[in-house]
Amino acid sequence: MARVVLFGVMDTAELAHFYLTHDSEHEVVAFTVNREFLKDTEFRGLPLVAFEEVETIYPPQEFKFFAPMTARGMNRNRERIYREAKAKGYELISYVSSKATLFGNPIGENCFILEDNTIQPFTTIGNNVVLWSGNHIGHHGQIKDHVFFTSHVVMSGHCVIESYCFFGVNSTIRDYMTIAEGTFVAMAASITKPTEPWGVYMGNPAEKKSMPSHKIY
Ligand SMILES: CC(C)(COP(=O)(O)OP(=O)(O)OC[C@H]1O[C@@H](n2cnc3c(N)ncnc32)[C@H](O)[C@@H]1OP(=O)(O)O)[C@@H](O)C(=O)NCCC(=O)NCCS
């Protein structure tokens, strides 16, 4: 059981507070955001403090940290806070729903794995990975760091997901695929061939599209 400081005051942080409170042994003790977003002194009845000085109020020797953020900036926003919290000396927890199905899969730190994910045997999950609800994560696969699966994604067996990828709702990945770093897979896209780094893929079968960066995450 750890006492945990949670990063954020938006929906994802509020949900993380709910999940940790109702479905984990951890206790959330405070929230933190960057000073420029600090508009109040509390959130959900708990202290809200500036991230810039959080380690002086909640020392890393006594408290752990969790930053379950969105995929904004193709997961690099979440990566930045993850790295900064580690640099302050914090150990980051992961949350895995009691309603997810796992088979002893290795899971990294700062992962947020919600209900109804099925992670089949021999698949590994890296650090700072979000699996929103209801994904099928096939066997003998590898999901690297800073990856975001939304919901109802099917990752077939023997796939390698490189870092920073994003998968829209209901997207599908054929077995034995390698999804290159920073690939954006649109909702309902069906990936039948390996992708190119930082490519945007749409349709069935999926094709690479040019897309202004403000349109993706
Ligand atoms: C790829 C994506 C970013 C495009 O968004 P957008 O640029 O706002 O798209 P628009 O709604 O303006 O549509 C532009 C065109 O692309 C088409 N289109 C949009 N999304 C599409 C998709 N996933 N597959 C195929 N075509 C798509 C639209 O029909 C439209 O076609 P038209 O110009 O012929 O009318 C968006 O579809 C997507 O996948 N977002 C992720 C959604 C998601 O998973 N949300 C969960 C968040 S937790």
Side-chain angles (χ1 to χ4, degrees):
M1 194 257 204
R3 290 184 294 166
V4 177
V5 178
L6 250 176
F7 188 92
V9 288
M10 306 294 276
D11 286 2
T12 312
E14 191 171 31
L15 283 163
H17 173 253
F18 181 92
Y19 283 116
L20 288 180
T21 302
H22 294 280
D23 184 37
S24 90
E25 56 184 10
H26 302 313
E27 180 195 0
V28 180
V29 295
F31 289 87
T32 184
V33 288
N34 286 112
R35 195 185 304 283
E36 62 178 307
F37 301 108
L38 199 59
K39 304 279 185 258
D40 219 332
T41 55
E42 53 176 65
F43 181 67
R44 304 286 319 176
L46 294 171
L48 172 61
V49 303
F51 183 54
E52 286 76 359
E53 61 188 29
V54 64
E55 69 277 19
T56 64
I57 308 166
Y58 299 99
Q61 299 76 18
E62 294 173 43
F63 298 90
K64 294 187 181 177
F65 203 89
F66 193 34
M69 299 160 63
T70 66
R72 194 160 161 211
M74 286 303 287
N75 299 298
R76 284 169 294 191
N77 210 32
R78 191 171 76 257
E79 180 195 20
R80 181 173 57 80
I81 300 301
Y82 162 76
R83 290 197 190 284
E84 287 178 12
K86 281 180 77 71
K88 288 174 186 283
Y90 284 110
E91 186 182 321
L92 285 96
I93 66 156
S94 284
Y95 167 78
V96 180
S97 170
S98 65
K99 296 179 170 62
T101 302
L102 287 88
F103 297 90
N105 312 73
I107 308 272
E109 52 190 10
N110 206 48
C111 291
F112 193 37
I113 298 178
L114 302 189
E115 63 274 10
D116 298 327
N117 280 287
T118 294
I119 306 176
Q120 290 191 318
F122 310 119
T123 289
T124 61
I125 312 280
N127 297 314
N128 202 25
V129 169
V130 177
L131 304 179
W132 211 261
S133 51
N135 299 291
H136 171 87
I137 305 296
H139 58 94
H140 294 97
Q142 190 182 3
I143 297 177
K144 297 198 179 172
D145 298 338
H146 322 299
V147 168
F148 201 108
F149 280 70
T150 58
S151 286
H152 288 235
V153 177
V154 174
M155 177 185 122
S156 306
H158 292 277
C159 289
V160 176
I161 311 298
E162 297 289 350
S163 297
Y164 305 106
C165 290
F166 173 93
F167 296 92
V169 287
N170 227 15
S171 54
T172 302
I173 314 159
R174 181 184 190 167
D175 48 319
Y176 290 94
M177 286 297 104
T178 293
I179 307 299
E181 181 175 273
T183 298
F184 179 98
V185 179
M187 57 185 184
S190 183
I191 300 286
T192 58
K193 296 175 187 159
T195 65
E196 292 172 22
W198 305 101
V200 174
Y201 289 82
M202 294 169 70
N204 182 5
E207 289 178 5
K208 191 173 173 207
K209 302 278 182 188
S210 59
M211 180 78 59
S213 60
H214 72 271
K215 289 262 191 182
I216 59 173
Y217 290 96

